[in-house]
Amino acid sequence: MLAYHRRVGSLDGVRVLIVDDVPENVASLAAAIRSSGGEVVQVRTNDEALEALAAEPFDVVVSDIAKPGEEPGTELGLRMWASGQRLPLIHFVARVDPDAPPPVGSVGVTNDPS
């Protein structure tokens, strides 16, 4: 099996907002961003994300789609758009239903990260 690894360029100065109701789920992502020079702010809800976006500048938002007891992460994109936020939004989900349609507003969806 061939291991796939590509070094990503520096993320110096890149501000990333991560939205997940279980911060431990994205600890490795946050650590990777920080180790590449990026800045990370983590919040738990879509409301907290919108508050953070209104308070300080970010370059990209990464959000869990499925947050039990919370509106879905896909709703965050709609709310961002309605509030004038035009940032890249990356969704992720731990469990994938291969038969489910892509989230509304998605440019692309994959279950194969290679």
Side-chain angles (χ1 to χ4, degrees):
M1 175 180 200
L2 177 64
Y4 179 79
H5 175 74
R6 185 179 71 163
R7 175 134 172 90
V8 186
S10 169
L11 294 176
D12 287 345
V14 175
R15 301 200 71 233
V16 181
L17 177 62
I18 299 178
V19 188
D20 193 340
D21 57 321
V22 183
E24 299 80 28
N25 289 350
V26 292
S28 60
L29 172 63
I33 293 168
R34 287 183 181 114
S35 71
S36 294
E39 297 175 43
V40 174
V41 172
Q42 290 180 253
V43 297
R44 293 178 179 258
T45 69
N46 292 349
D47 286 339
E48 290 176 3
L50 292 169
E51 289 172 14
L53 288 165
E56 49 188 310
F58 290 93
D59 298 296
V60 64
V61 178
V62 179
S63 176
D64 185 8
I65 289 179
K67 298 185 284 274
E70 165 80 10
E71 66 186 7
T74 52
E75 185 68 23
L76 175 59
L78 298 173
R79 292 177 65 191
M80 285 172 55
W81 188 265
S83 70
Q85 296 287 341
R86 303 293 194 266
L87 298 176
L89 172 60
I90 300 168
H91 285 122
F92 68 91
V93 64
R95 286 171 234 99
V96 177
D97 176 357
D99 298 321
V104 173
S106 294
V107 174
V109 176
T110 184
N111 62 358
D112 180 2
S114 63

